[in-house]
Amino acid sequence: PSPVDILKRCPTVLLFSAYNLLTFDLANQRSPESIAEDRANKPWRPIPSGKITPEKTRQALLCLLPVALWYYNDLTAGDSVFRDAIIAISYGLFNLASLRLAIGPHNSATHRGHAWTALISAVILTTMHIQDLKDQAGDRQRSRKTVPLLSGDGVARLALAFCVLFWSCACASFWQLTWRTYALSVGLSGFIAWRVLRKREAREDARTWRLCCLWHSMLYAGPLFGRA
């Protein structure tokens, strides 16, 4: 498909992604365990801050809830050691669906497109626990099995620092980025790795997590700047 055709389908892709995100957030934040955890970790969220009640959230969710999120939240799969794997698989499915929406019904995703989707899922699988560094107090209260709590804070940080740097180089190589774009991506990942290892307070971990979200966005933008 031409760039114009893809741009025309962008609203559909955005709507699809927003639907999935809204459904996940509603399901993820409404249980008593999640509310108790958020009071400790994220008191600004709508339910613990009193902006919406759990019952209203449940009613909104009834219009949106797919089976996968019921499994993740109501069966507490999100508390298990397999949580990051579930999230990585979900990312792969959502990204592949978004890709197919973007290219249209008369085109097929290439092997490279499928490989990129798998690569992003691998990034998510091995770096998602950065969000758990700042939430250890609430996660411990809920007995959630996260990487920092299972492996120890130090091991989790070392693994995260390595993976962020490794995936920056791998993704840059995959798309054959220009040296300027490569330097920007690797520079940001290096800064994140440094912060993960050196800035260990919960407030600093929250800032590092936001930087990691920016880094994820840069990885997603790789196809726009690649020469491959």
Side-chain angles (χ1 to χ4, degrees):
S2 68
V4 174
D5 290 333
I6 293 176
L7 284 174
K8 288 180 179 178
R9 297 188 183 96
C10 278
T12 303
V13 176
L14 291 174
L15 182 62
F16 173 78
S17 300
Y19 163 80
N20 286 305
L21 180 61
L22 175 61
T23 305
F24 180 87
D25 286 344
L26 289 173
N28 179 256
Q29 298 177 27
R30 71 182 181 87
S31 70
E33 295 84 0
S34 295
I35 296 171
E37 178 188 353
D38 284 342
R39 286 197 179 103
N41 291 336
K42 304 179 182 75
W44 44 265
R45 279 184 166 178
I47 296 178
S49 65
K51 295 177 181 177
I52 189 173
T53 65
E55 177 59 23
K56 291 293 184 182
T57 305
R58 186 189 70 83
Q59 292 173 6
L61 190 60
L62 289 175
C63 302
L64 301 170
L65 183 64
V67 173
L69 289 181
W70 170 74
Y71 168 71
Y72 181 90
N73 293 287
D74 287 58
L75 298 187
T76 66
D79 293 342
S80 75
V81 70
F82 301 109
R83 185 201 62 166
D84 288 354
I86 295 170
I87 294 174
I89 292 171
S90 299
Y91 262 79
L93 294 174
F94 294 149
N95 286 336
L96 186 57
S98 296
L99 175 60
R100 289 179 174 174
L101 285 172
I103 63 179
H106 303 297
N107 299 285
S108 300
T110 64
H111 291 299
R112 195 168 188 80
H114 284 95
W116 178 239
T117 299
L119 188 58
I120 288 294
S121 288
V123 172
I124 297 301
L125 175 64
T126 54
T127 63
M128 180 56 69
H129 66 276
I130 192 170
Q131 68 178 351
D132 299 324
L133 296 176
K134 59 183 173 53
D135 294 339
Q136 292 185 65
D139 289 342
R140 189 176 291 108
Q141 175 183 332
R142 184 170 172 170
S143 299
R144 176 172 276 171
K145 297 178 177 63
T146 64
V147 173
L149 295 181
L150 289 174
S151 67
D153 183 78
V155 172
R157 290 177 185 275
L158 283 172
L160 184 60
F162 170 80
C163 288
V164 168
L165 288 168
F166 173 79
W167 289 122
S168 280
C169 295
C171 292
S173 176
F174 184 90
W175 289 114
Q176 299 178 23
L177 298 181
T178 64
W179 71 267
R180 289 187 179 87
T181 311
Y182 180 92
L184 181 61
S185 176
V186 174
L188 178 58
S189 65
F191 183 55
I192 292 171
W194 176 80
R195 285 189 60 89
V196 164
L197 296 174
R198 302 294 296 178
K199 303 289 187 178
R200 301 192 175 210
E201 300 82 8
R203 180 178 298 179
E204 294 297 335
D205 283 332
R207 292 171 179 167
T208 305
W209 169 70
R210 294 188 186 96
L211 286 172
C212 193
C213 292
L214 175 61
W215 174 68
H216 282 158
S217 299
M218 289 182 64
L219 295 186
Y220 269 97
L224 299 177
F225 301 99
R227 292 175 291 184

